[in-house]
Coordinates of all heavy atoms in Angstrom, one line a residue:
M282 N -67.3 48.1 -37.3 CA -65.9 48.2 -37.3 C -65.5 49.5 -38.0 O -64.4 50.1 -37.7 CB -65.3 47.0 -38.1 CG -63.8 47.0 -38.1 SD -63.1 47.1 -36.4 CE -62.4 45.5 -36.2
G283 N -66.3 50.1 -38.8 CA -66.1 51.3 -39.5 C -66.0 52.5 -38.5 O -65.2 53.4 -38.6
V284 N -66.9 52.5 -37.5 CA -66.9 53.5 -36.5 C -65.7 53.5 -35.6 O -65.0 54.5 -35.4 CB -68.2 53.4 -35.6 CG1 -68.2 54.4 -34.5 CG2 -69.4 53.6 -36.5
V285 N -65.3 52.3 -35.3 CA -64.1 52.1 -34.5 C -62.8 52.6 -35.2 O -62.0 53.3 -34.7 CB -63.9 50.6 -34.1 CG1 -62.6 50.4 -33.3 CG2 -65.0 50.2 -33.2
M286 N -62.8 52.2 -36.5 CA -61.7 52.7 -37.4 C -61.6 54.2 -37.4 O -60.5 54.8 -37.3 CB -61.8 52.1 -38.8 CG -60.7 52.6 -39.8 SD -61.1 52.2 -41.5 CE -62.4 53.3 -41.9
K287 N -62.7 54.8 -37.6 CA -62.8 56.3 -37.8 C -62.4 57.0 -36.4 O -61.7 58.0 -36.4 CB -64.1 56.7 -38.3 CG -64.3 56.3 -39.7 CD -65.7 56.5 -40.2 CE -65.8 55.9 -41.6 NZ -67.1 55.6 -42.0
I288 N -62.8 56.4 -35.3 CA -62.4 57.0 -34.0 C -60.9 56.8 -33.8 O -60.3 57.8 -33.3 CB -63.3 56.4 -32.9 CG1 -64.7 56.8 -33.0 CG2 -62.7 56.7 -31.5 CD1 -65.7 56.1 -32.1
A289 N -60.4 55.7 -34.1 CA -59.0 55.4 -33.9 C -58.2 56.4 -34.8 O -57.2 56.9 -34.4 CB -58.6 54.0 -34.1
G290 N -58.7 56.5 -36.0 CA -58.0 57.4 -37.0 C -58.1 58.9 -36.5 O -57.1 59.6 -36.6
N291 N -59.2 59.3 -36.0 CA -59.4 60.6 -35.5 C -58.4 60.9 -34.3 O -57.8 62.0 -34.2 CB -60.8 60.9 -35.1 CG -61.1 62.3 -34.7 OD1 -60.5 63.2 -35.3 ND2 -62.0 62.5 -33.8
N292 N -58.3 59.9 -33.4 CA -57.4 60.0 -32.3 C -55.9 60.1 -32.8 O -55.1 60.8 -32.1 CB -57.5 58.9 -31.3 CG -58.8 58.9 -30.6 OD1 -59.5 60.0 -30.5 ND2 -59.3 57.8 -30.1
A293 N -55.6 59.5 -33.9 CA -54.3 59.6 -34.5 C -54.0 60.8 -35.4 O -52.9 61.0 -35.9 CB -54.0 58.3 -35.2
G294 N -55.1 61.6 -35.6 CA -54.9 62.8 -36.4 C -55.4 62.7 -37.8 O -55.0 63.5 -38.7
Y295 N -56.1 61.6 -38.2 CA -56.6 61.4 -39.6 C -58.1 61.8 -39.7 O -58.8 61.5 -38.7 CB -56.4 60.0 -40.0 CG -54.9 59.6 -40.1 CD1 -54.3 58.9 -39.1 CD2 -54.1 60.0 -41.2 CE1 -53.0 58.6 -39.1 CE2 -52.8 59.6 -41.3 CZ -52.2 58.9 -40.2 OH -50.9 58.6 -40.3
T296 N -58.5 62.3 -40.8 CA -59.9 62.6 -41.0 C -60.6 61.3 -41.5 O -60.0 60.3 -41.8 CB -60.1 63.6 -42.1 OG1 -59.6 63.1 -43.3 CG2 -59.3 64.9 -41.7
K297 N -62.0 61.4 -41.4 CA -62.8 60.3 -41.9 C -62.5 60.0 -43.4 O -62.4 58.8 -43.7 CB -64.3 60.7 -41.7 CG -65.3 59.7 -42.2 CD -66.7 60.2 -42.1 CE -67.7 59.3 -42.7 NZ -67.6 59.0 -44.1
A298 N -62.3 61.0 -44.2 CA -62.1 60.8 -45.6 C -60.7 60.1 -45.8 O -60.6 59.2 -46.7 CB -62.1 62.1 -46.3
Q299 N -59.7 60.4 -45.0 CA -58.4 59.8 -45.1 C -58.5 58.3 -44.7 O -57.9 57.5 -45.4 CB -57.4 60.5 -44.2 CG -56.9 61.8 -44.8 CD -56.0 62.5 -43.8 OE1 -56.3 62.6 -42.6 NE2 -54.9 63.0 -44.3
M300 N -59.2 58.0 -43.7 CA -59.4 56.7 -43.2 C -60.1 55.8 -44.3 O -59.7 54.7 -44.5 CB -60.1 56.6 -41.9 CG -59.3 57.2 -40.7 SD -57.7 56.5 -40.5 CE -58.1 54.9 -39.8
D301 N -61.1 56.4 -44.9 CA -61.9 55.7 -45.9 C -61.0 55.4 -47.1 O -61.0 54.4 -47.7 CB -63.1 56.5 -46.3 CG -64.2 56.5 -45.3 OD1 -64.2 55.5 -44.4 OD2 -65.0 57.4 -45.3
A302 N -60.1 56.4 -47.5 CA -59.2 56.2 -48.6 C -58.2 55.1 -48.3 O -57.9 54.3 -49.2 CB -58.5 57.5 -48.9
F303 N -57.7 55.1 -47.1 CA -56.7 54.1 -46.7 C -57.4 52.7 -46.8 O -56.8 51.7 -47.3 CB -56.2 54.3 -45.3 CG -55.3 55.5 -45.2 CD1 -55.4 56.3 -44.0 CD2 -54.3 55.8 -46.1 CE1 -54.6 57.4 -43.9 CE2 -53.5 56.9 -46.0 CZ -53.6 57.7 -44.9
A304 N -58.6 52.6 -46.3 CA -59.4 51.3 -46.3 C -59.6 50.9 -47.8 O -59.4 49.7 -48.1 CB -60.7 51.5 -45.6
K305 N -60.0 51.8 -48.6 CA -60.2 51.5 -50.1 C -59.0 51.0 -50.7 O -59.0 50.0 -51.5 CB -60.8 52.7 -50.8 CG -62.2 53.0 -50.5 CD -63.1 52.0 -51.0 CE -64.6 52.5 -50.7 NZ -65.5 51.4 -50.9
S306 N -57.8 51.6 -50.4 CA -56.6 51.1 -51.0 C -56.2 49.7 -50.6 O -55.7 48.9 -51.4 CB -55.4 52.1 -50.7 OG -55.0 52.0 -49.4
L307 N -56.5 49.4 -49.3 CA -56.3 48.0 -48.9 C -57.2 47.0 -49.5 O -56.9 45.9 -49.9 CB -56.4 47.9 -47.4 CG -55.2 48.5 -46.6 CD1 -55.5 48.5 -45.1 CD2 -53.9 47.8 -46.9
E308 N -58.5 47.5 -49.7 CA -59.5 46.6 -50.3 C -59.1 46.3 -51.8 O -59.4 45.2 -52.3 CB -60.9 47.2 -50.2 CG -61.4 47.2 -48.8 CD -62.7 48.1 -48.6 OE1 -63.4 48.2 -49.6 OE2 -62.9 48.6 -47.5
Q309 N -58.6 47.3 -52.4 CA -58.2 47.2 -53.8 C -57.1 46.2 -54.0 O -56.9 45.6 -55.1 CB -57.9 48.5 -54.5 CG -59.0 49.4 -54.7 CD -58.7 50.8 -55.2 OE1 -57.5 51.1 -55.2 NE2 -59.7 51.5 -55.6
S310 N -56.3 46.0 -53.0 CA -55.2 45.0 -53.0 C -55.7 43.6 -52.7 O -54.9 42.7 -52.7 CB -54.0 45.4 -52.1 OG -54.4 45.3 -50.8
G311 N -57.0 43.4 -52.4 CA -57.5 42.1 -52.2 C -57.8 41.8 -50.8 O -58.2 40.6 -50.5
I312 N -57.6 42.7 -49.9 CA -57.9 42.5 -48.4 C -59.4 42.8 -48.2 O -59.9 43.8 -48.7 CB -57.0 43.3 -47.6 CG1 -55.5 42.9 -47.8 CG2 -57.3 43.2 -46.1 CD1 -54.5 43.8 -47.1
S313 N -60.1 42.0 -47.4 CA -61.5 42.2 -47.2 C -61.7 43.5 -46.5 O -60.9 44.0 -45.8 CB -62.1 41.0 -46.4 OG -61.6 41.1 -45.0
M314 N -63.0 44.0 -46.6 CA -63.3 45.3 -46.0 C -63.2 45.2 -44.4 O -62.6 46.1 -43.8 CB -64.8 45.6 -46.3 CG -65.2 46.9 -45.7 SD -66.9 47.5 -46.1 CE -67.8 46.2 -45.3
L315 N -63.6 44.1 -43.8 CA -63.6 44.0 -42.4 C -62.1 43.9 -41.9 O -61.7 44.6 -41.0 CB -64.3 42.7 -41.9 CG -64.4 42.5 -40.4 CD1 -65.1 43.7 -39.7 CD2 -65.1 41.2 -40.1
Q316 N -61.3 43.1 -42.6 CA -59.9 43.0 -42.3 C -59.1 44.3 -42.5 O -58.3 44.7 -41.7 CB -59.2 41.9 -43.0 CG -57.9 41.5 -42.5 CD -58.0 41.0 -41.0 OE1 -58.9 40.4 -40.6 NE2 -56.9 41.3 -40.3
S317 N -59.4 45.0 -43.6 CA -58.7 46.3 -43.8 C -59.0 47.3 -42.7 O -58.1 48.0 -42.3 CB -59.1 46.8 -45.2 OG -60.4 47.2 -45.3
R318 N -60.3 47.3 -42.3 CA -60.6 48.3 -41.2 C -60.0 47.9 -39.9 O -59.5 48.7 -39.1 CB -62.1 48.3 -41.1 CG -62.8 49.0 -42.2 CD -64.3 49.1 -42.1 NE -64.8 49.8 -43.3 CZ -66.1 50.2 -43.3 NH1 -66.9 49.9 -42.4 NH2 -66.5 50.8 -44.4
N319 N -59.9 46.6 -39.7 CA -59.2 46.1 -38.5 C -57.7 46.4 -38.5 O -57.2 46.9 -37.5 CB -59.4 44.6 -38.3 CG -58.9 44.0 -37.1 OD1 -58.9 44.7 -36.0 ND2 -58.4 42.8 -37.1
I320 N -57.1 46.3 -39.6 CA -55.7 46.6 -39.8 C -55.5 48.1 -39.5 O -54.5 48.5 -38.8 CB -55.2 46.2 -41.2 CG1 -55.1 44.7 -41.3 CG2 -53.8 46.8 -41.4 CD1 -54.9 44.2 -42.7
L321 N -56.3 48.9 -40.1 CA -56.1 50.4 -40.0 C -56.3 50.8 -38.5 O -55.6 51.7 -38.0 CB -57.1 51.1 -40.9 CG -56.7 51.0 -42.4 CD1 -57.8 51.6 -43.3 CD2 -55.4 51.7 -42.6
T322 N -57.3 50.2 -37.9 CA -57.5 50.5 -36.4 C -56.3 50.2 -35.6 O -55.8 51.0 -34.8 CB -58.7 49.7 -35.9 OG1 -59.9 50.1 -36.7 CG2 -59.0 50.0 -34.5
Q323 N -55.7 49.0 -35.9 CA -54.5 48.6 -35.1 C -53.3 49.5 -35.4 O -52.6 49.9 -34.5 CB -54.2 47.1 -35.4 CG -55.2 46.2 -34.9 CD -54.9 44.7 -35.3 OE1 -53.9 44.5 -36.1 NE2 -55.7 43.8 -34.8
L324 N -53.1 49.9 -36.7 CA -52.0 50.7 -37.1 C -52.2 52.1 -36.5 O -51.2 52.7 -36.0 CB -51.9 50.8 -38.6 CG -51.4 49.6 -39.3 CD1 -51.5 49.8 -40.8 CD2 -50.0 49.2 -38.9
A325 N -53.4 52.7 -36.5 CA -53.7 54.0 -36.0 C -53.5 54.0 -34.5 O -52.9 54.9 -33.9 CB -55.1 54.5 -36.3
T326 N -53.9 52.9 -33.8 CA -53.7 52.8 -32.3 C -52.3 52.7 -32.0 O -51.9 53.3 -30.9 CB -54.5 51.6 -31.8 OG1 -55.8 51.7 -32.2 CG2 -54.4 51.5 -30.3
A327 N -51.5 52.1 -32.8 CA -50.0 52.0 -32.6 C -49.2 53.2 -33.0 O -48.0 53.2 -33.0 CB -49.5 50.7 -33.2
N328 N -49.9 54.2 -33.5 CA -49.3 55.4 -34.1 C -48.3 55.2 -35.2 O -47.2 55.8 -35.3 CB -48.6 56.2 -32.9 CG -49.6 56.8 -32.0 OD1 -50.7 57.3 -32.4 ND2 -49.3 56.9 -30.7
I329 N -48.7 54.2 -36.1 CA -47.9 53.9 -37.3 C -48.4 54.7 -38.4 O -49.7 54.8 -38.6 CB -47.9 52.4 -37.6 CG1 -47.2 51.7 -36.4 CG2 -47.2 52.1 -38.9 CD1 -47.2 50.2 -36.5
D330 N -47.6 55.3 -39.2 CA -48.0 56.2 -40.3 C -48.8 55.4 -41.3 O -48.4 54.4 -41.8 CB -46.8 56.7 -41.0 CG -47.1 57.7 -42.1 OD1 -48.3 58.2 -42.1 OD2 -46.3 58.0 -43.0
L331 N -50.1 55.8 -41.5 CA -51.0 55.1 -42.4 C -50.8 55.3 -43.9 O -51.4 54.6 -44.7 CB -52.4 55.5 -42.0 CG -52.9 55.1 -40.6 CD1 -54.3 55.5 -40.4 CD2 -52.6 53.6 -40.3
A332 N -49.9 56.2 -44.2 CA -49.5 56.4 -45.6 C -48.9 55.2 -46.2 O -49.0 55.0 -47.4 CB -48.6 57.6 -45.7
N333 N -48.3 54.4 -45.4 CA -47.7 53.1 -45.8 C -48.6 51.9 -45.6 O -48.1 50.8 -45.8 CB -46.4 52.9 -45.1 CG -45.4 54.0 -45.3 OD1 -45.3 54.6 -46.4 ND2 -44.7 54.4 -44.3
A334 N -49.8 52.1 -45.3 CA -50.7 51.0 -45.0 C -50.9 50.0 -46.2 O -50.9 48.8 -46.0 CB -52.1 51.5 -44.6
S335 N -51.0 50.6 -47.4 CA -51.2 49.7 -48.5 C -49.9 48.9 -48.8 O -50.0 47.7 -49.2 CB -51.6 50.4 -49.8 OG -50.7 51.4 -50.2
A336 N -48.8 49.5 -48.6 CA -47.5 48.8 -48.8 C -47.3 47.7 -47.8 O -46.9 46.6 -48.1 CB -46.3 49.7 -48.7
L337 N -47.7 48.0 -46.5 CA -47.7 47.0 -45.5 C -48.6 45.8 -45.8 O -48.3 44.7 -45.5 CB -48.0 47.6 -44.1 CG -46.9 48.5 -43.5 CD1 -47.5 49.2 -42.3 CD2 -45.7 47.7 -43.2
G338 N -49.8 46.2 -46.3 CA -50.8 45.1 -46.7 C -50.2 44.2 -47.7 O -50.4 43.0 -47.7
R339 N -49.6 44.8 -48.7 CA -49.0 43.9 -49.8 C -47.9 43.0 -49.3 O -47.8 41.9 -49.6 CB -48.4 44.8 -50.9 CG -49.4 45.0 -52.0 CD -48.8 45.8 -53.2 NE -49.2 47.2 -53.0 CZ -48.4 48.2 -52.8 NH1 -47.1 48.0 -52.8 NH2 -48.9 49.4 -52.6
V340 N -47.0 43.6 -48.4 CA -46.0 42.8 -47.8 C -46.6 41.6 -46.9 O -46.1 40.5 -47.0 CB -45.1 43.7 -46.9 CG1 -44.1 42.8 -46.1 CG2 -44.3 44.6 -47.8
A341 N -47.6 41.9 -46.2 CA -48.3 40.9 -45.4 C -48.9 39.8 -46.3 O -48.8 38.6 -46.0 CB -49.4 41.5 -44.5
Q342 N -49.4 40.2 -47.4 CA -50.0 39.2 -48.4 C -48.8 38.3 -48.9 O -49.0 37.1 -49.0 CB -50.7 39.9 -49.5 CG -52.1 40.3 -49.1 CD -52.8 41.0 -50.3 OE1 -52.2 41.7 -51.1 NE2 -54.1 40.8 -50.3
D343 N -47.7 38.9 -49.3 CA -46.6 38.2 -49.8 C -46.0 37.2 -48.8 O -45.7 36.1 -49.1 CB -45.5 39.1 -50.2 CG -45.9 40.0 -51.4 OD1 -46.9 39.6 -52.1 OD2 -45.2 41.0 -51.7
L344 N -46.0 37.6 -47.5 CA -45.5 36.7 -46.4 C -46.5 35.6 -46.2 O -46.1 34.5 -45.9 CB -45.3 37.5 -45.1 CG -44.1 38.4 -45.1 CD1 -44.1 39.3 -43.8 CD2 -42.8 37.6 -45.2
A345 N -47.8 35.8 -46.4 CA -48.8 34.8 -46.2 C -48.6 33.7 -47.3 O -48.8 32.5 -47.1 CB -50.2 35.4 -46.3
V346 N -48.2 34.1 -48.5 CA -48.0 33.2 -49.6 C -46.8 32.3 -49.3 O -46.8 31.1 -49.6 CB -47.8 33.9 -50.9 CG1 -47.4 33.0 -52.0 CG2 -49.1 34.6 -51.3
V347 N -45.7 32.9 -48.8 CA -44.5 32.2 -48.5 C -44.8 31.2 -47.3 O -44.5 30.1 -47.3 CB -43.4 33.1 -48.1 CG1 -42.2 32.3 -47.6 CG2 -43.0 34.0 -49.2

């Protein structure tokens, strides 16, 4: 899943280091490594700005609680 995430990120204009940093920020919020990479792949494929990925992850967690 890491390779797919990096390719999708590269296609969206992000470097490997940026994608790894986005994944780490999601993992620090309690999202599993596999799920964080899957989320980033989907966001990059949809051309959504990944700078807001951790905020979107937190919102998704809050919605899951509700």
Side-chain angles (χ1 to χ4, degrees):
M282 188 52 113
V284 173
V285 174
M286 176 191 72
K287 290 170 187 157
I288 291 172
N291 188 33
N292 290 340
Y295 295 100
T296 65
K297 176 186 178 295
Q299 287 175 309
M300 294 302 288
D301 288 338
F303 292 139
K305 288 288 183 197
S306 70
L307 287 174
E308 290 170 29
Q309 289 174 350
S310 67
I312 299 173
S313 72
M314 179 178 66
L315 183 62
Q316 192 61 32
S317 67
R318 291 178 177 190
N319 185 31
I320 290 167
L321 289 172
T322 301
Q323 291 176 357
L324 291 174
T326 303
N328 290 324
I329 295 175
D330 185 19
L331 297 182
N333 299 322
S335 61
L337 288 171
R339 266 185 261 116
V340 169
Q342 283 180 323
D343 292 344
L344 286 173
V346 170
V347 173

